[in-house]
Every structure is written in structure tokens, then in C-alpha cells.
Amino acid sequence: MKRFNALFHKEWIEAWREKKLVWLPAVILLVTLLQPISLYFMPTILENSNSLPPGAVIELPIPSGAEVLAGTLSQLHTIGTAIIVLACMNVIVQERNNGSLMQLFSRPVNTTTYIFSKWTMLVLLHLGAFTISYGAAWYYTNALFSDVSFTSVWKSFVIYCLWIVLVITVTLFVSTFLRRSGGVAGISILIVASIAILSTVMPDIAIYLPSNILNLATEVLNTEKGTVHMGAVLATTIAFIAILLLTMVKKFEKSVKF
Amino acid sequence: MTMLEARGLTKRYGKHVAVKDLNLQLKKNECIALLGPNGAGKTTTLHMLAGLITPTDGMIMSDKKVLIKDKIGFLPQYPTFFDWMYPKEYLMLAGTLSGMTKKTLKERSLHVLEMTGLLEAQKRKIGAFSGGMKQRLGLAQAIMHQPKILLLDEPVSALDPAGRIDVMNILENLKKDMAILFSTHVLHDAEQICDKALIMKSGQSISYENMKEWKGNRQRKRYRLETSDPLQIEGLQKLYKEIDIKESQKIIGTLRHNVTPNMLLQYCIQQDIGIQYFGAEEKNLEEHYIEVMEG
């Protein structure tokens, strides 16, 4: 535990000194807030765009608060996912390539401690950033559109957190067997995108899989209740995360012996 | 007490054999130099002993037990740190990972910084360190947790002459508490502080000798003569039995059976040869190294 704490502490100082602790929440906040704010100003934006013939009348239906928040999540699902992958792609690869990993492992440190110190830190950092951003988005949605109940926001929040954890885990998983950060980013995005795309390619199976997380969160926002398959989706996601973590620790055990 | 023992150590990468059937015994307070050309398998050997790579074959023990990492201090050839850290932070992290208690960490880290001459640099981030300073910090982290065995991969290769002497003095002092094994290309250093030298060539140990012993055991002493004028070799050949090294103003070799050093000196005076240096010559490591490499 002492070793875990030391490495965990090191991760936070590193994130602070390299200012990841600042830019990551800032970027995620920006991506999240863009949706409610741009939707609110959409009529004005269109009017000022000058590309409409004179006399054209614009009449946009005002979306409900739940729809706006769902839009926020879907925005995050594309751009946010890419940001998370980019923020995580370097954490193992860099230390491994420059040799500082080897120097750490000449001490009695085991791979589980090492991987979990990184994983826990990244999960807390990203979930923290997401909490702030989603909270802010909720505030603006309530102020600019209609109110959304706390229960549905809270439920959708918890469901979507799982997606974030999954993306982090996939990226770390790929980091344990590729040595180039570009490759890590590419393969991670490929895996995450394939998971997401399953919901349109094979909807029958995908309703039980992590692919359905976004749909589930949207549904919870609109109806305050999940579908019958909510339990299945959460279970498969958690199982998938656990399997990735276990394989990654085992795999790293072998490959860390340079 | 045998601090570190390797028997039949072998490492294969596919068909390539990096280290083959290496035997080694490092006793308490002993210092062994690991010598050999580039690519001879020195680094691979050190990595195996440090537990960073698993040997294909053979075993590594400490005092007849399995070797544990707490006992080892390791300095890689190119020490790498986290550039955003301060030296003290790295030492404290390293110490914690090696199981040191919080109380001793601070004091010990200052102590090793002082030993390695980095006390004044502790306000700078490691990213701003020069290569030599990184090498010193590498040594500091290796001795941080007071290991029983110190494994160093070319500890002086990145240092300037003054730094090299510093590090060698540090190692000389550390010999009191630790058993040291280090690889180097500087034969002079190895000769100064080491008891034994293990010479490797293409993964195999080709010579493993006790330097102190071989120095004392030489039956016939060799004598070195340096002069201010070019030597007249004909006359000297009558006195020297075997000539090992011959340059225009320098000669080293063993004397004939009934010739004493005084007779050689007398001969030089009679011939009016300007003597610059005259003395007994021990066989040095460099000669031995070249002999073994060619043999």
C-alpha cells in the first residue's frame, strides 16, 4: 500500500507540473458547454450568418432540457472520447521508452501496483473533470431551457461514467503492448469506435453491451427510467473493464522484463 | 559470506546467445570489475543479476537463498528520471519503493546527495541536469536504500575526469559496506579499486582472476627502463632475457637468470646512458586484457 501511495502521489504531482490537471478539465468543460450554449444561440447565429435570403422566417422548435443534455452527452461521446484517448496514450509508453520504467522496476515494485496507480489516478482525474463539466452543463440547461430533474441527471451521470472508465482502460490496455504513442491512440480509438458502432451494426446484441451506454444515458434523461437491459449493459461493461485490467497486468508482467 | 552468486547464467534471444554459462561469486566487501568489448554481454549480465530480465538458464542466489530486490542497488548505463521532479523527490520515491520508512527518507536523501556532490543542485529540476549530474543522481538512487549489493553499469562513462575520480573515491568508500560489481571500459579504475576482474567476450567469461593474487604471484620481476636518448638495444639484450615492450626510449622485460637490477643500472652508467626512469614493473590489467582478448 505504501508503494501504491508513493506512485499514486507521483502521478498527481506529474499531472500538476505538466498542467494536465488544468487543461484536461478545461477542454472537457469547453466541449460539454458548447452544446447547450450554441443550441440556445442557434436562432441568433443563423440570423447573423447572412446566407439567408431576405424575408426568410426561421422557426426552430425549442428543445427540452433533457434533449439538450442528451445532445451534450453525444457531443462528449465523439470529441470527448478522442480527448480522453489522447490524454492517456502517453502515460505508460513514455516511461517505458525512455527507460525510467526500468529504473523503477529495479526496485521491489510489482506490475499490479504500477498499473493500478496510473489507472486510479486517470479515472479520478477524468471523472472529476466530467463531474464539473456535466454539472455546469446541467446548470446552463436549467437556466436556458427547461428544468431536468436531479434523479435523471444523476442516473445518466453514473451510467456515462462507466463509458469514460472503459475508454481509459482500453487505452492503458493497448499501451501495455505497443511502444509508440501514435499507435496506441490509433488502435485505442479503433477499438472504442468498433464498440460504439456495434449499436448500429448489430443492434440486437449491442443492447446488452457497453455499446449501448450512450443510448441508455439518453433514455434515462428522457424518461427517468432505464430500459430492462440496463443491468445487462452495466454488468457487461464492468466485466469488460475487469477483464482488460487483469489481462493488462498479466501481459505487462511479461513485457516489463525488457 | 557470498553476497551474490551466479551459476551457469545463460540468456538467449531466439538464436542469438547474449550470455553463455557465466559463473560469478561476489563476496562481502568485495569489488569485481566486469570488462569486455561493446556487445560482450556485460549489460545483459547486470540486468539479469538485478532481476530486470529472466535468465534462460542458470541460477542467481544470495547467501544460498533466492536473491531479493531490496538487497540490490542498480545503476543503469543511461539513468533516466522524471524530468519534472526535483532530485530529492526522486530519491524519496525510490526509497519508499524500496521499503524505507518515512523517518529515514529525508535524512538519507540529503546524505546521498551530499555524497554524490549534488547538494547544491537540489533546487533544480532533474530536466535541467547535465549528463554527468544525472549519472551522479543515478548513483545516489542506487545507494539510497543502503543495499548490500551494488550493481553499476558503466558508472563513469558519462563523467569528466574530475567526476570520474570522485565516483571512484565514493566506490572505494562504499566497499566497506557493500559488495560491488561494475562494468567499465576504464581499466585503470578497475585496477585501482577492484579485487577481481571478469573479462567477457561474445557472451562468455574468458578470464576471471584475482588481480591481487596475480600481481604477487609473478615469479620473475620485470624491469622498466626509460632513457633520454634512443636505446642501443644490442647491449641490453645481453642483460634482458625477455623483452615485452620495446620503444625507442623505453624497454620493459624480465632479466636473465644471473643478472640483478643493479647490474643493469651499472651497465647504463658505464655506457653513459641518461636514465629517466628505472623500476620494477608489475603486469597491469591493460596488458592482461589485451592478452586475453587476442588469445
Side-chain angles (χ1 to χ4, degrees):
Chain A
M1 203 59 202
K2 231 169 70 181
R3 297 193 168 98
F4 175 85
N5 284 341
L7 287 172
F8 185 63
H9 183 66
K10 176 227 140 202
E11 290 300 321
W12 284 105
I13 300 181
E14 181 170 20
W16 168 244
R17 299 233 174 111
E18 292 185 342
K19 295 290 167 278
K20 194 188 208 170
L21 220 51
V22 179
W23 69 255
L24 187 85
V27 172
I28 292 188
L29 184 69
L30 192 74
V31 171
T32 331
L33 280 190
L34 221 54
Q35 189 69 10
I37 292 175
S38 65
L39 268 181
Y40 181 74
F41 288 109
M42 195 53 85
T44 333
I45 294 168
L46 285 178
E47 255 171 48
N48 293 334
S49 70
N50 286 337
S51 58
L52 293 169
V57 181
I58 314 158
E59 221 169 281
L60 290 171
I62 296 174
S64 73
E67 278 167 354
V68 175
L69 268 186
T72 303
L73 281 184
S74 109
Q75 178 98 342
L76 207 62
H77 206 61
T78 48
I79 305 175
T81 301
I83 293 169
I84 296 171
V85 169
L86 294 179
C88 298
M89 68 182 185
N90 247 332
V91 290
I92 291 178
V93 174
Q94 200 182 3
E95 288 185 4
R96 185 165 164 184
N97 285 346
N98 73 13
S100 47
L101 184 70
M102 181 178 86
Q103 215 164 294
L104 280 188
F105 274 91
S106 70
R107 296 174 187 283
V109 183
N110 62 37
T111 43
T112 320
T113 316
Y114 177 78
I115 299 243
F116 271 93
S117 73
K118 290 207 175 288
W119 184 82
T120 317
M121 183 271 174
L122 287 172
V123 164
L124 288 180
L125 173 64
H126 286 86
L127 292 190
F130 177 55
T131 313
I132 298 168
S133 312
Y134 202 49
W138 184 40
Y139 170 80
Y140 278 104
T141 308
N142 283 349
L144 303 176
F145 301 91
S146 58
D147 281 4
V148 190
S149 77
F150 175 76
T151 343
S152 53
V153 172
W154 169 246
K155 276 187 185 164
S156 67
F157 169 79
V158 172
I159 294 168
Y160 199 74
C161 276
L162 274 178
W163 175 258
I164 294 177
V165 176
L166 180 68
V167 174
I168 295 170
T169 315
V170 165
T171 315
L172 281 189
F173 174 75
V174 179
S175 309
T176 53
F177 56 86
L178 287 187
R179 282 175 176 262
R180 296 263 174 277
S181 52
V184 171
I187 304 286
S188 308
I189 287 178
L190 195 74
I191 295 177
V192 172
S194 330
I195 296 174
I197 257 171
L198 270 186
S199 63
T200 42
V201 180
M202 291 190 290
D204 300 345
I205 305 169
I207 46 169
Y208 306 106
L209 296 179
S211 323
N212 217 30
I213 285 182
L214 180 64
N215 292 339
L216 207 61
T218 312
E219 213 166 311
V220 165
L221 277 174
N222 288 327
T223 62
E224 275 197 32
K225 279 184 294 213
T227 49
V228 269
H229 301 306
M230 184 155 101
V233 172
L234 299 188
T236 50
T237 311
I238 291 170
F240 193 39
I241 291 173
I243 290 170
L244 283 179
L245 280 172
L246 282 177
T247 1
M248 146 161 70
V249 167
K250 276 261 177 291
K251 165 85 188 125
F252 204 55
E253 194 106 37
K254 277 184 199 154
S255 63
V256 85
K257 304 263 177 194
F258 310 84
Chain B
M1 191 166 80
T2 311
M3 298 306 302
L4 180 65
E5 187 176 5
R7 260 191 243 156
L9 210 56
T10 303
K11 181 71 187 178
R12 274 189 290 271
Y13 291 105
K15 273 188 181 163
H16 172 71
V17 185
V19 175
K20 195 179 167 192
D21 200 21
L22 189 92
N23 296 308
L24 180 91
Q25 247 195 5
L26 185 63
K27 295 203 179 72
K28 206 178 170 188
N29 301 331
E30 201 175 44
C31 176
I32 299 183
L34 199 55
L35 310 170
N38 299 101
K42 301 188 296 292
T43 299
T44 312
T45 306
L46 285 169
H47 282 186
M48 279 192 281
L49 295 173
L52 287 169
I53 50 178
T54 5
T56 319
D57 212 349
M59 54 180 176
I60 301 166
M61 285 175 306
S62 171
D63 197 20
K64 298 195 179 94
K65 284 188 284 268
V66 178
L67 182 64
I68 45 169
K69 279 184 178 173
D70 299 41
K71 282 189 170 181
I72 299 176
F74 177 65
L75 165 70
Q77 190 170 0
Y78 308 104
T80 355
F81 307 91
F82 307 110
D83 283 350
W84 48 269
M85 263 191 179
Y86 291 100
K88 213 163 100 189
E89 286 174 331
Y90 189 86
L91 293 176
M92 308 240 293
L93 172 67
T96 316
L97 293 182
S98 284
M100 284 173 74
T101 54
K102 226 175 189 164
K103 268 190 265 170
T104 50
L105 275 174
K106 232 178 196 157
E107 211 176 310
R108 179 72 186 159
S109 61
L110 283 175
H111 180 68
V112 292
L113 280 177
E114 196 187 344
M115 265 178 93
T116 48
L118 286 173
L119 212 51
E120 273 135 53
Q122 58 166 325
K123 292 270 178 319
R124 279 157 75 182
K125 282 187 184 164
I126 299 173
F129 271 29
S130 69
M133 288 162 85
K134 280 187 185 164
Q135 194 87 32
R136 283 157 184 267
L137 186 58
L139 184 61
Q141 62 87 27
I143 58 176
M144 175 72 187
H145 53 293
Q146 291 174 298
K148 293 267 172 278
I149 304 157
L150 198 55
L151 303 173
L152 313 170
D153 199 354
E154 298 192 19
V156 295
S157 55
L159 297 173
D160 58 39
R164 213 194 78 222
I165 293 167
D166 279 355
V167 168
M168 281 302 138
N169 287 337
I170 296 170
L171 291 187
E172 182 83 61
N173 276 329
L174 288 173
K175 255 168 77 176
K176 288 176 208 136
D177 321 300
M178 303 170 190
I180 305 175
L181 174 68
F182 72 96
S183 72
T184 185
H185 290 300
V186 188
L187 300 174
H188 177 74
D189 290 340
E191 210 167 10
Q192 293 290 306
I193 69 163
C194 290
D195 310 294
K196 288 180 185 165
L198 193 152
I199 305 180
M200 291 179 79
K201 190 182 177 183
S202 18
Q204 273 172 301
S205 153
I206 51 170
S207 152
Y208 183 30
E209 283 197 63
N210 192 320
M211 290 195 274
K212 303 266 145 58
E213 257 170 37
W214 108 48
K215 278 182 178 168
N217 277 358
R218 275 195 77 84
Q219 288 156 347
R220 297 203 62 107
K221 277 218 169 132
R222 303 188 311 165
Y223 288 90
R224 176 194 187 108
L225 176 69
E226 279 178 39
T227 58
S228 50
D229 305 310
L231 279 162
Q232 300 297 320
I233 198 73
E234 291 78 21
L236 288 168
Q237 263 165 350
K238 286 179 200 150
L239 299 165
Y240 274 107
K241 184 175 143 211
E242 240 174 74
I243 294 171
D244 294 343
I245 296 170
K246 197 192 67 123
E247 284 163 27
S248 73
Q249 295 176 326
K250 186 168 101 183
I251 188 164
I252 301 172
T254 43
L255 299 178
R256 279 181 196 278
H257 184 61
N258 49 3
V259 179
T260 61
N262 286 0
M263 286 163 77
L264 178 63
L265 212 51
Q266 214 166 14
Y267 171 81
C268 293
I269 294 165
Q270 275 167 8
Q271 300 291 316
D272 199 21
I273 298 170
I275 300 170
Q276 290 208 316
Y277 179 89
F278 176 75
E281 175 87 0
E282 287 180 319
K283 184 184 180 184
N284 64 16
L285 185 56
E286 196 173 325
E287 260 178 83
H288 178 69
Y289 180 86
I290 289 164
E291 219 174 271
V292 182
M293 275 301 143
E294 284 167 354

